[in-house]
Amino acid sequence: MQLFPVILPTLCLFLHLLGGGSGSTPSLTHSSQQVAVTRWLPATATWYGSPEGDGSSGGACGYGSLVDVKPFKARVGAVSPILFKGGEGCGACYKVRCLDKTICSKRAVTIIVTDQSPSGPSAKANHTHFDLSGAAFGHMAIPGHNGVIRNRGLLNIRYGRTACKYKGKNIAFHVNAGSTDYWLSLLIEYEDGEGDIGSMHIRQAGSKEWISMKHIWGANWCIVEGPLKGPFSVKLTTLSNNKTLSAADVIPSNWVPKATYTSRLNFSPVL
């Protein structure tokens, strides 16, 4: 599901009014649930797009054309609601492997959550399902069986949470189209470690106050305040373990919509 940029300011304003405006406290409260490393759990998997393709062209997380290039390329996956978490699961990384020894390799494939899928073959809301790119699905096969495994269509798999690792990349903030001095929307990119975001705050030039941003959809956050004065510092808190990182003055005073501003830091690439 893609939302058009023209809808975002309206949605952000609605969330702003619903939450009673911006404040110095987080807009959402999350439990500090620890992430289990290499804990393999049951799920199902299908694939979509072209057989050797990248799957989604954009996706419900809002990453747009990033899914067509490395490091996302061929590693994207849509997940059912239990993992998508209303968009707050965007950016999380998982290892997936299939079970049929006649066609499945022992190695696991790492995928990045970029999209939402239905709950798969089960009507249960808590069923875990992965809809992978054709390339990622094929990589679960033993050599020479990529086509065979894709012909199966639906597979029983095991999955486990893993740390995201974007070698040579730091966290970046894309300013969404339509942003103004009174409505600012940001998309988070290349977050190492847990990959998910539970809260996001912004600090204006000359201020000591961190103002809470609202989660709109996918990996997009916004603030209705104004006039906003840059440069802006941004503070991220992960959804899974409440780890915090602050990027000082990462968005310059002369920022423009559709531009991406890269920080000088990232989370540790571990869970």
Side-chain angles (χ1 to χ4, degrees):
M1 178 187 68
Q2 287 278 26
L3 294 180
F4 296 102
V6 70
I7 300 174
L8 297 182
T10 302
L11 181 56
C12 187
L13 178 59
F14 172 76
L15 293 172
H16 173 80
L17 296 173
L18 186 66
S22 298
S24 58
T25 57
S27 57
L28 299 170
T29 302
H30 305 281
S31 61
S32 181
Q33 180 182 1
Q34 296 295 311
V35 176
V37 181
T38 62
R39 180 188 174 197
W40 294 100
L41 299 169
T44 52
T46 50
W47 63 279
Y48 67 123
S50 60
E52 294 292 343
D54 305 327
S56 172
S57 57
C61 290
Y63 294 122
S65 59
L66 282 180
V67 302
D68 299 322
V69 297
K70 293 182 178 180
F72 285 90
K73 185 177 177 65
R75 298 175 62 199
V76 306
V79 293
S80 55
I82 193 171
L83 295 183
F84 191 70
K85 302 173 185 176
E88 291 181 332
C90 289
C93 296
Y94 293 90
K95 287 185 179 294
V96 295
R97 57 184 174 87
C98 56
L99 306 177
D100 186 340
K101 295 180 181 179
T102 64
I103 58 173
C104 296
S105 169
K106 293 181 180 180
R107 72 178 184 272
V109 176
T110 300
I111 65 100
I112 306 163
V113 175
T114 61
D115 204 352
Q116 181 177 12
S117 78
S119 295
S122 173
K124 297 179 180 179
N126 62 348
H127 179 75
T128 304
H129 182 74
F130 290 80
D131 201 13
L132 307 178
S133 69
F137 197 86
H139 286 165
M140 291 192 291
I142 57 178
H145 284 65
N146 301 50
V148 176
I149 204 171
R150 281 192 290 264
N151 287 339
R152 289 284 183 94
L154 174 68
L155 292 174
N156 290 315
I157 65 166
R158 293 292 183 268
Y159 77 98
R161 188 75 178 270
T162 191
C164 298
K165 299 177 182 179
Y166 297 106
K167 188 176 180 179
K169 297 281 188 182
N170 286 328
I171 290 177
F173 301 92
H174 178 78
V175 180
N176 287 320
S179 291
T180 70
D181 290 338
Y182 292 84
W183 174 81
L184 178 64
S185 175
L186 302 177
L187 169 73
I188 305 98
E189 302 171 353
Y190 306 125
E191 182 197 346
D192 277 348
E194 294 163 40
D196 52 20
I197 297 296
S199 68
M200 184 168 169
H201 292 72
I202 194 168
R203 187 176 65 197
Q204 300 184 69
S207 174
K208 296 182 179 180
E209 179 186 12
W210 287 104
I211 305 172
S212 176
M213 300 188 76
K214 303 292 183 183
H215 178 233
I216 320 176
W217 63 288
N220 296 276
W221 295 71
C222 75
I223 182 172
V224 178
E225 191 93 357
L228 297 166
K229 183 181 179 182
F232 302 113
S233 300
V234 181
K235 180 169 66 175
L236 303 176
T237 302
T238 63
L239 176 66
S240 301
N241 284 330
N242 292 325
K243 296 177 183 177
T244 298
L245 174 150
S246 299
D249 298 336
V250 64
I251 300 174
S253 56
N254 60 342
W255 64 270
V256 293
K258 300 183 181 181
T260 300
Y261 301 99
T262 302
S263 70
R264 297 181 179 179
L265 67 172
N266 209 326
F267 287 101
S268 176
V270 296
L271 293 179

